[in-house]
Amino acid sequence: MPHDHSDHPHALLPPDPALRVKALETILTRKGLIDPATLDEIIDIYQNKIGPQNGARVVAKAWSDPAFKARLLADATAVVADLGYFGRQGEHMVVVENTPEQHNMVVCTLCSCYPWPLLGIPPGWYKSDAYRARAVREPRKVLADFGVTLSDESSVRVWDSTAEVRYLILPMRPAGTEGLSEEELAELVTRDSMIGTGLPKVPS
Amino acid sequence: MTRVHDMGGRFGDGPVVPDAEGAPVFATEWHGRALAVTLAAGALGQWNIDVSRHTRELLSPKDYMRFSYYEKWISGLADLLVQTGVLTREDFEEGGAVQRHPLAERKLKAAAVAGALAKGGPADRPSDVPVSFETGQAVRTLQISGNRLVEGGHTRLPIYAAGAKGHILKLHGTHVLPDSSAHGLGEAPEPLYAVVFPASELWADPEHPGDEVVLDLWQSYLEAV
């Protein structure tokens, strides 16, 4: 497995990516190794059931309940599992908190590691070369691509997900949200605010 | 030296183009298929996550750069299926003979998907390797990033963080060592730490004096300062 080959087997499949996937699916199905209904089920789960609404619920609860927040920051894996969020690509969770002094951002420079049970499948930009290359070196310029400007008083801590630990950012609760329910707060929590490339919405 | 995937800090990639929050999870139908075929084939149990990552890294630099994200997945999967002997090159050339495969009984069934995803694949393991560093301790990463067991092998110390001085933020426990696990050399679990580095240790022109980068690094990537 360590050896380099100049004749990769993938080159035997059709070059068009849609046809390449189809060819592989067909071969594996004919061999009895995969089932198209299984593929439909996997796609349905990540399209419709697991997504950033899960993380938003965790954030809203942390904004509402100081004891929950303290437990979440101390042992996120167990705490989010109690809410039903665990499994593939979320086996080891850490939640880090934004403060007026420190903004946090998550990247995976080596591939595309991302907390699937809480945020779902990563968006295209998270997996792009531009984000992977630049987020660690010039986080403020990357934030500018998202329309976010930080104050000069705030430092940035970028978390490069190089192991099987997955990171979720706990953004700061927006001003003017006193008295909102957890459900209402969750509506303000964007996916990007939990990656650290955005800020939560402010109530209109 | 590392490989083409190790791009942290690189110049020249242009702007990041954000997607709308409500954009489709899969931009096109085949993206979802590519992800699902990869996960379903992984469930046959013939490789682990480190092997699968390394296979994508073994794409030639030319292919790695021209392939879109899910093209890397699907091409990596094709290569992996042949490397592990699940399929042969002839299967690709001839479209696959219609005969029952010995691994067919391991096929992931639709009803088992939710349970398999919920189970996941934890990477923490008991380890005999004593913990060498404590929180707050100064450490330096290896001067040269690279797999010490296999030439050109898998490693998770990015080149931009090689030879950098930082300090231990947190011990995550003891985790499978990808440098070993990606090459069938055993899981070799050892302590894994979050290590924090000042941006000025990593970049010639950091944006702000207070900026930092945190990486998760195995004990064998680190030396006491």
Side-chain angles (χ1 to χ4, degrees):
Chain A
M1 261 172 269
H3 305 296
D4 288 307
H5 302 280
S6 55
D7 54 343
H8 286 77
H10 68 76
L12 299 167
L13 294 169
D16 175 81
L19 297 179
R20 181 167 283 197
V21 179
K22 189 71 201 161
L24 211 44
E25 180 180 340
T26 303
I27 296 165
L28 289 166
T29 303
R30 290 175 68 188
K31 295 267 187 190
L33 294 171
I34 64 170
D35 179 351
T38 299
L39 307 190
D40 295 340
E41 176 69 9
I42 293 170
I43 292 165
D44 178 55
I45 286 175
Y46 286 115
Q47 233 164 20
N48 303 313
K49 294 176 182 153
I50 297 180
Q53 67 277 9
N54 296 1
R57 195 179 150 220
V58 173
V59 169
K61 197 169 174 61
W63 284 348
S64 308
D65 179 346
F68 175 84
K69 178 176 143 183
R71 285 190 287 121
L72 180 70
L73 295 175
D75 184 9
T77 310
V79 171
V80 302
D82 283 346
L83 295 178
Y85 308 137
F86 51 86
R88 189 185 177 93
Q89 289 299 306
E91 294 91 347
H92 310 284
M93 285 301 311
V94 170
V95 175
V96 292
E97 183 187 18
N98 283 345
T99 65
E101 295 77 37
Q102 187 170 66
H103 181 84
N104 294 277
M105 252 168 89
V106 183
V107 64
C108 173
T109 63
L110 296 174
C111 45
S112 55
C113 300
Y114 191 74
W116 289 16
L118 291 163
L119 296 183
I121 300 298
W125 60 260
Y126 185 85
K127 302 176 281 199
S128 69
D129 290 358
Y131 188 71
R132 288 169 55 187
R134 293 177 52 214
V136 279
R137 181 174 47 78
E138 47 182 16
R140 283 176 174 73
K141 290 195 184 71
V142 170
L143 286 170
D145 291 344
F146 288 81
V148 173
T149 310
L150 298 179
S151 96
D152 283 347
E153 278 75 65
S154 178
S155 63
V156 179
R157 186 176 261 185
V158 183
W159 300 76
D160 188 356
S161 314
T162 45
E164 297 307 328
V165 179
R166 299 288 169 266
Y167 291 92
L168 186 86
I169 306 305
L170 174 57
M172 287 188 282
R173 179 170 175 163
T177 56
E178 300 77 14
L180 293 189
S181 68
E182 271 184 46
E183 290 70 26
E184 289 165 325
L185 288 170
E187 292 293 320
L188 304 176
V189 183
T190 61
R191 173 196 65 207
D192 292 358
S193 73
M194 295 181 279
I195 306 173
T197 55
L199 301 175
K201 292 184 266 190
V202 288
S204 43
Chain B
M1 195 54 216
T2 55
R3 288 177 186 266
V4 62
H5 68 284
D6 186 2
M7 61 180 70
R10 186 174 72 187
F11 284 86
D13 283 286
V16 178
V17 183
D19 305 339
E21 289 271 332
V25 173
F26 301 111
T28 179
E29 200 242 341
W30 72 263
H31 288 184
R33 272 347 247 182
L35 176 125
V37 171
T38 303
L39 265 54
L44 296 169
Q46 301 305 294
W47 53 81
N48 60 44
I49 191 161
D50 300 308
V51 170
S52 133
R53 276 202 191 106
H54 187 54
T55 308
R56 284 175 209 145
E57 296 165 5
L58 287 176
L59 289 169
S60 73
K62 210 178 269 181
D63 281 347
Y64 195 94
M65 293 314 297
R66 77 185 167 92
F67 284 171
S68 64
Y69 181 74
Y70 285 113
E71 277 181 276
K72 295 187 188 87
W73 273 45
I74 207 71
S75 303
L77 176 62
D79 295 343
L80 198 47
L81 286 162
V82 174
Q83 274 170 37
T84 52
V86 175
L87 296 180
T88 63
R89 301 177 74 94
E90 290 67 39
D91 287 328
F92 288 168
E93 283 160 345
E94 294 160 17
V98 192
Q99 74 224 21
R100 195 175 163 78
H101 194 284
L103 291 172
E105 60 198 49
R106 297 199 188 191
K107 178 170 72 179
L108 181 65
K109 297 190 174 60
V113 168
L117 297 178
K119 187 165 165 237
D124 56 330
R125 303 281 188 276
S127 170
D128 296 333
V129 179
V131 172
S132 297
F133 306 118
E134 57 191 47
T135 299
Q137 188 172 347
V139 290
R140 188 186 294 281
T141 52
L142 298 179
Q143 198 67 41
I144 299 170
S145 168
N147 189 309
R148 264 55 180 185
L149 305 169
V150 177
E151 189 183 10
H154 184 62
T155 190
R156 297 291 282 182
L157 173 60
I159 205 159
Y160 78 82
K165 193 176 149 192
H167 69 265
I168 304 286
L169 198 59
K170 178 188 166 70
L171 171 67
H172 288 303
T174 51
H175 281 229
V176 173
L177 179 67
D179 306 52
S180 178
S181 166
H183 300 285
L185 300 173
E187 295 192 321
E190 59 173 76
L192 174 74
Y193 307 89
V195 186
V196 60
F197 301 89
S200 57
E201 269 291 304
L202 309 172
W203 319 115
D205 295 297
E207 284 185 324
H208 186 284
D211 286 357
E212 296 168 324
V213 180
V214 180
L215 295 93
D216 288 329
L217 299 172
W218 282 262
Q219 185 161 289
S220 57
Y221 297 179
L222 302 171
E223 297 165 339
V225 173

